[in-house]
Amino acid sequence: MNDTVAVALVTSLSTLTAAALAGSVSAWTTSRQLRHQALLAGEERAEQRENANREMRRESYERFLSQADAAYRVLDSGWMAKPFTESPHWEAGFAARRALDETYIRVRLVGPENVAEMGAAVVRGIGDEFRLHARIVGSHPDTSDCAADLDPSARAHALQARYATSGEFVAAARGALGAGLVQMPGAVNAGRSDSRR
């Protein structure tokens, strides 16, 4: 074989080998970059889903607290009414409890379980307070006093229960939403407005 042909053959083989090696390294680097980009995109999608879930929970919790506050306001007006007339108060109470139940269903759907349990305690507490009020009013049909004056200790216990259940719900909701949560307005009103009465 001619030396020139041998040199040309060796040169072309080394060029082909270098090109194949460069292509392999380039393909490996590109594949690695694509895997990294796919991983980053997956993490970003997961973070977006988590943020959307957190926002949905926050909105559900705020609506629930707002409806609880509306029920507390109906109860407050019933406790202080002189004389108590059943129809408008009971109609408003029924509407408030129904709205609360509807928002509680949403809390149960978005979870987590401990927040749903604390929400159930709020709903039960409001129902108990409505029944307590009805019992007090029913046992004094001809009085001109308000229910709060007829049984001040029952009213005080009801307010303590309100404050406790609302506070436990807010604490659980904050835990579910994570740190950096601003204070939710419904729970503040539930505890603060009642203590002035």
Side-chain angles (χ1 to χ4, degrees):
M1 192 183 317
N2 182 331
D3 286 344
T4 306
V5 172
V7 168
L9 187 58
V10 168
T11 303
S12 64
L13 281 174
S14 65
T15 302
L16 284 174
T17 303
L21 184 60
S24 295
V25 168
S26 175
W28 178 78
T29 303
T30 302
S31 171
R32 187 172 175 195
Q33 288 173 342
L34 289 174
R35 280 195 308 270
H36 181 68
Q37 288 174 351
L39 179 66
L40 289 177
E43 288 174 356
E44 185 177 338
R45 283 192 301 274
E47 186 177 334
Q48 288 172 347
R49 276 194 306 272
E50 186 177 328
N51 287 339
N53 286 340
R54 186 180 298 116
E55 181 61 26
M56 186 171 34
R57 281 181 172 173
R58 184 189 62 76
E59 183 180 313
S60 297
Y61 300 162
E62 286 181 350
R63 283 184 185 173
F64 177 76
L65 287 170
S66 176
Q67 291 304 325
D69 187 57
Y72 291 146
R73 289 174 191 271
V74 170
L75 280 162
D76 287 340
S77 70
W79 280 106
M80 302 313 239
K82 287 185 181 185
F84 183 82
T85 54
E86 284 190 21
S87 185
H89 290 289
W90 287 157
E91 288 171 13
F94 177 78
R97 289 177 69 187
R98 182 175 174 93
L100 180 67
D101 287 341
E102 289 171 0
T103 58
Y104 173 65
I105 289 169
R106 178 96 174 171
V107 169
R108 287 184 62 194
L109 287 174
V110 299
E113 191 61 35
N114 67 323
V115 177
E117 288 172 7
M118 296 300 106
V122 171
V123 172
R124 273 192 310 273
I126 288 172
D128 291 346
E129 188 174 345
F130 270 106
R131 284 186 289 280
L132 173 65
H133 179 267
R135 210 170 29 251
I136 292 168
V137 169
S139 63
H140 300 88
D142 298 324
T143 187
S144 61
D145 291 333
C146 68
D149 291 338
L150 292 171
D151 195 340
S153 66
R155 169 84 168 136
H157 288 302
L159 292 177
Q160 288 171 353
R162 274 190 211 185
Y163 186 76
T165 56
S166 295
E168 289 166 357
F169 178 83
V170 169
R174 284 179 183 230
L177 295 174
L181 176 69
V182 290
Q183 196 164 17
M184 290 188 252
V188 173
N189 292 340
R192 207 177 351 178
S193 66
D194 300 333
S195 61
R196 291 192 300 247
R197 300 214 181 251

